[in-house]
Amino acid sequence: MKQYMVTRPLYSEDAFADVHEKIHRHHKTVRHHVKQYFTLTKNGVCVNCSCDLKRAKNAALSLLPFIGWMRIYQLKEWLLSDIVSGVSTGLVAVLQGLAYSLLASLPPWYGLFTAFFPVIVYFFLGTSRHISVGAFPVLSLMVGAVVTRLVPDEGPPVNITGFEGLTSDEQRVMVAASVTFLMGIMQLAMGLLQVGFIVMYLSDTLVSGFTTAAAVHILVSQLKFVLGLVVPGLSGPLSIVYTLEKIFVQIEKTNVCDLVTSILIMVVVFIVKEINDRYKAKLPVPIPIEVIMTVIACGVSYAFNFRVNYKVDVVGRIPVGYESPMGPNMQIFGQTAVEAFPMAIVGFAVAFSVAKVYSVKHDYIIDGNQELIAFGASNIIGAAFKSFAASTALSRSAVQESTGGKTQSVLGAVVIVNLKGMLMQIREVPYLWRRDRPDCVVWLVTCLASILLGLDLGLAVGLGIELLTVVFRAQFPRCSVLANITGTDIYKERKDYMSIYEPQGVKIFRIPSPIFFANIDFFRGKLVEVGFNPLRVLRKRNKALRTIRKLLKKGELSGPIEESEDESNMEDLDQPTDFKDLPVQVNWNSELPANIQVPRVDVHSLILDFSAVSFLDISALKGLKAALKELIRVEVEVYIVACDAYILKKLHSCMFFDDEVKSSMFFLTLHDAMLHILDKHPVNSENTKVLR
């Protein structure tokens, strides 16, 4: 085993600062940062480099990332593979748009617009080279919830200016386009304000529970197509329960042809997808089974005239060309703002997560803020051309574009089969329960809330639970008592190791999180559990001194005398013990006269390990100082080790130190403090010799 040996002085923070001079770093103020982004001119001549050619070039590359990778594009090596990939991905994206338009409660051909306009805009503005932009089932379902709320299947639509003279489908298209436009504005604004970090608050666990719930919603929403039933679209809390109720009430009206077709397609697609997964290393390209089955179903439906003979609903003929652009409806903005924000967050979170995976795999950098700008612009421009919300298409469902008839049960079956990946995320629950129960609670609560309350409210509930777990972890962290690993300068939790050394009278307490207003009392309570309650001991000692003074004054310092219980001046009891008018200093750990009882303190030194403390707020500073004073006043020496330089600087600036709490208690490392204690309180032991 390799070994190393270091010989150096024993350092407190003060001693280290005296020996090693720090470099004075000039920290830029807000004013300096503002100057970097604005051009200062004097006599018409630019005196700031912010408008030079290099800055303009960097700005262009940042805003239009495609310029950067087009410059390094290897035409001969990449062109052919890109053409093949583009054709196959484009076919899937087009068919996916058709399928997921059902989730958005829109006519299928509007999914074609979602497959075209957003991806064109993203090409110019996006930083990921591999994600496929288009319809995403979760977003499509969220759009559908808004659409059916404002334009329900049964009953009149919400009274909105602009609905006059429009058909139900046209009203729904207006709602979907407007909420998508608003979603894009929110994403664009977040990107321009550089708040891409907001997605970090959506943990993988939360996203997993949320998408699993979305898969359940999608599954239920497609049952009416699979069974051939007429079920109105519902939204809001418990909508999934009411939808299931309406399905089961009319279950005897199931169209057998729809059901048989759906089951047959689901079985075949599922089997071939499993083959694709198992032999993906040997197959040049995955078998496009969804496309194949859609083509077959389309041919069979046309040949046997399913629409007339078996009363099977079909999509019908798709209009040729694109519709003229339109502006958003401002009244719809007010009606859908609450739903648009979670849509903006979910769409970006999913896309950014997938983009990160590909960027790591292919070794390039993506910019979260630029991605927000790209998706915001994509959704704004796409909405102007009547597309609905776009993100990254995770599950690949394929349907056929044709001027002939296509059965909707085929589209529903393909959607359901492609939910397998999201539904199988439920297998994470046992693993999370064994490894991290707070994370498991986040998954379960997010999933159940999203299923029962709807995706928008469910996401809010899940985020709230997730933030609560963070607060609880920080507020009630797992503190520990450390001990020296015999023969080393390493300190570990005393309960975990057998070969440890603990000098008598020394305790090492590790604080594993930031200290702030919410957990300072928790830490003070934990300190009491480590040894004793210093405030109680201090008050007992001051009461004892009062009693001793009275006995000395009366000359009755003998015989059994009860301790005074006078608590009229409690504040005096919290002050340091005062021996100035006594002939001798009292040894509190020895037997006291007149049967006076004071709790014994067996700890003479306490080390607080601050290596994991990243910040202290003002409330924590006050609480920490009070705790230190209580310990010092009962003659316990306190040492704080491995304190972050920023925290130490803050302590000085906040006037933390005084005659009792001194900067000399701060040591560079835990071992420095231990050696200092052993010098002050020598212990005759072989372990002590090794420790030195």
Side-chain angles (χ1 to χ4, degrees), residues 3 10 57 97-98 234 282 308 402 429 454 499 507 514 578 659:
Q3 296 184 349
L10 188 155
K57 178 182 176 182
L98 286 169
L234 302 173
K282 298 180 179 180
V308 175
S402 173
V429 174
S499 181
K507 293 290 184 183
D578 184 8
D659 293 339

Side-chain angles (χ1 to χ4, degrees), residues 35-49:
K35 284 184 177 180
Q36 290 182 353
Y37 290 94
F38 292 93
T39 302
L40 301 178
T41 58
K42 183 177 183 181
N43 299 325
V45 180
C46 178
V47 297
N48 191 289
C49 65

Side-chain angles (χ1 to χ4, degrees), residues 146-456:
V146 177
V147 168
T148 54
R149 180 172 65 84
L150 298 185
V151 188
D153 289 333
E154 298 177 348
V158 175
N159 185 19
I160 292 178
T161 304
F163 275 3
E164 300 86 357
L166 300 180
T167 65
S168 177
D169 281 346
E170 290 172 338
Q171 291 173 348
R172 290 189 165 195
V173 170
M174 179 181 286
V175 172
S178 296
V179 73
T180 300
F181 197 99
L182 181 57
M183 166 188 167
I185 290 175
M186 292 177 175
Q187 290 177 328
L188 182 62
M190 287 189 290
L192 294 175
L193 294 174
Q194 304 286 293
V195 292
F197 65 86
I198 194 171
V199 73
M200 303 304 176
Y201 290 98
L202 300 180
S203 67
D204 292 342
T205 303
L206 183 144
V207 172
S208 174
F210 177 77
T211 52
T212 302
V216 174
H217 276 282
I218 295 169
L219 175 63
V220 172
S221 71
Q222 297 307 293
L223 287 178
K224 62 182 179 182
F225 299 112
V226 171
L227 300 175
L229 302 175
V230 178
V231 178
L234 302 173
S235 61
L238 300 180
S239 60
I240 192 171
V241 177
Y242 299 138
T243 300
L244 288 172
E245 179 189 16
K246 290 182 179 295
I247 289 174
F248 286 113
V249 164
Q250 52 179 323
I251 195 71
E252 73 278 357
K253 298 179 183 179
T254 298
N255 188 309
V256 177
C257 183
D258 270 331
L259 181 59
V260 172
T261 302
S262 300
I263 293 175
L264 180 63
I265 290 173
M266 283 190 285
V267 170
V268 174
V269 172
F270 178 80
I271 292 173
V272 176
K273 276 184 165 291
E274 289 298 311
I275 294 173
N276 282 341
D277 289 340
R278 182 167 297 185
Y279 299 104
K280 59 184 176 182
K282 298 180 179 180
L283 291 173
V285 292
I287 301 171
I289 185 59
E290 297 99 329
V291 178
I292 295 171
M293 292 305 297
T294 304
V295 171
I296 294 174
C298 179
V300 172
S301 173
Y302 180 79
F304 291 93
N305 200 359
F306 277 11
R307 184 174 190 175
V308 175
N309 295 331
Y310 301 102
K311 295 182 174 55
V312 173
D313 288 334
V314 298
V315 174
R317 186 172 296 274
I318 296 177
V320 177
Y322 294 103
E323 299 183 8
S324 58
M326 69 173 186
N329 185 297
M330 302 305 293
Q331 194 174 349
I332 294 177
F333 277 9
Q335 294 275 354
T336 61
V338 174
E339 291 99 333
F341 183 71
M343 287 167 57
I345 297 298
V346 170
F348 172 64
V350 173
F352 189 68
S353 299
V354 176
K356 278 198 302 184
V357 172
Y358 286 120
S359 67
V360 171
K361 183 177 180 180
H362 296 279
D363 193 24
Y364 62 89
I365 298 174
I366 58 172
D367 182 348
N369 294 311
Q370 182 62 28
E371 287 293 291
L372 272 171
I373 293 173
F375 276 102
S378 297
N379 282 307
I380 289 172
I381 295 175
F385 288 91
K386 302 182 181 179
S387 72
F388 54 89
S391 181
T392 297
L394 293 179
S395 58
R396 295 298 183 183
S397 63
V399 294
Q400 179 189 7
E401 178 184 4
S402 173
T403 55
K406 293 169 286 297
T407 63
Q408 293 199 5
S409 62
V410 173
L411 305 188
V414 170
V415 170
I416 290 173
V417 171
N418 281 277
L419 296 177
K420 177 199 168 188
M422 288 194 287
L423 289 172
M424 293 305 289
Q425 291 177 131
I426 198 170
R427 293 182 299 181
E428 296 178 10
V429 174
Y431 172 82
L432 289 172
W433 183 256
R434 292 192 301 269
R435 297 292 186 269
D436 195 319
R437 292 190 178 180
D439 262 3
C440 186
V441 170
V442 170
W443 196 101
L444 291 172
V445 172
T446 302
C447 185
L448 292 175
S450 299
I451 290 174
L452 297 176
L453 302 179
L455 296 180
D456 49 356

Side-chain angles (χ1 to χ4, degrees), residues 5 484-489 501 503 671 674-675 678-679 681-692:
M5 181 177 295
N484 175 255
I485 302 298
T486 305
T488 72
D489 61 352
Y501 171 58
H671 200 58
M674 180 62 77
L675 294 178
L678 292 176
D679 282 339
H681 305 274
V683 178
N684 294 325
S685 169
E686 291 297 324
N687 288 325
T688 303
K689 295 177 182 178
V690 175
L691 193 64
R692 294 172 185 272

Side-chain angles (χ1 to χ4, degrees), residues 4 94 211 337 352 588 592 624:
Y4 73 92
V94 167
T211 52
F352 189 68
W588 297 110
L592 298 178
L624 177 64

